[in-house]
Amino acid sequence: MELSGQTVKVNKPRPVNLDLQTIRFPLTAIASILHRVSGVITFISLAILLWLLNLSLSSPDGFAAAASITDSFFVKFVLWGVLTALFYHIVLGVRHLLMDLGYFEEMDTGIASTKVSFAIVAVLAVFAGGLVW
């Protein structure tokens, strides 16, 4: 490698292929990745939920059709998943905002805030299950 006329010798060659199955992500990284995934799920499900709302508000027959769609177990399970993803995205979004303000930036407090966030999301997921069923 050459930098401004000087030759620099690299001691360790970089790996050509990374084995992603052997990499262990810290809990905070997993929370951050799942926050992005929950945002995508929320964004995609928004179109479906708006269609269902439009159908239910179109007429009394449309409301009956929307009610019959949401009666199946599979649709209720999907709605529960969407609500859980939304709650996850909100709770972890607040955590990220607090980190932007300078809180929970150290490794130990970051892991603790992630665990607290997961616990809050678990409680809200149970609440969402009560709403759907």
Side-chain angles (χ1 to χ4, degrees):
M1 176 188 256
E2 190 170 319
L3 282 171
S4 65
Q6 298 176 353
T7 303
V8 178
K9 189 171 185 174
V10 178
N11 291 334
K12 296 181 181 179
R14 295 181 181 255
V16 177
N17 295 319
L18 289 176
D19 186 9
L20 296 178
Q21 295 177 346
T22 60
I23 296 175
R24 296 219 4 117
F25 290 111
L27 188 61
T28 54
I30 294 169
S32 180
I33 292 168
L34 289 177
H35 180 253
R36 294 169 191 229
V37 170
S38 69
V40 171
I41 291 170
T42 303
F43 179 74
I44 291 172
S45 65
L46 186 65
I48 298 167
L49 293 175
L50 285 175
W51 169 78
L52 194 60
L53 178 66
N54 184 37
L55 178 64
S56 70
L57 295 176
S58 63
S59 67
D61 292 334
F63 181 81
S68 68
I69 290 172
T70 58
D71 277 342
S72 72
F73 175 78
F74 178 72
V75 173
K76 286 183 179 182
F77 184 73
V78 169
L79 287 174
W80 172 77
V82 167
L83 283 175
T84 302
L86 177 64
F87 288 147
Y88 184 89
H89 195 71
I90 290 171
V91 170
L92 272 288
V94 169
R95 179 183 167 270
H96 278 280
L97 286 174
L98 289 173
M99 289 176 65
D100 287 342
L101 293 174
Y103 300 102
F104 311 125
E105 289 183 335
E106 296 80 24
M107 184 59 80
D108 55 342
T109 58
I111 291 173
S113 69
T114 303
K115 290 178 181 178
V116 168
S117 298
F118 283 165
I120 292 170
V121 170
V123 169
L124 290 174
V126 171
F127 175 70
L131 285 176
V132 171
W133 279 285

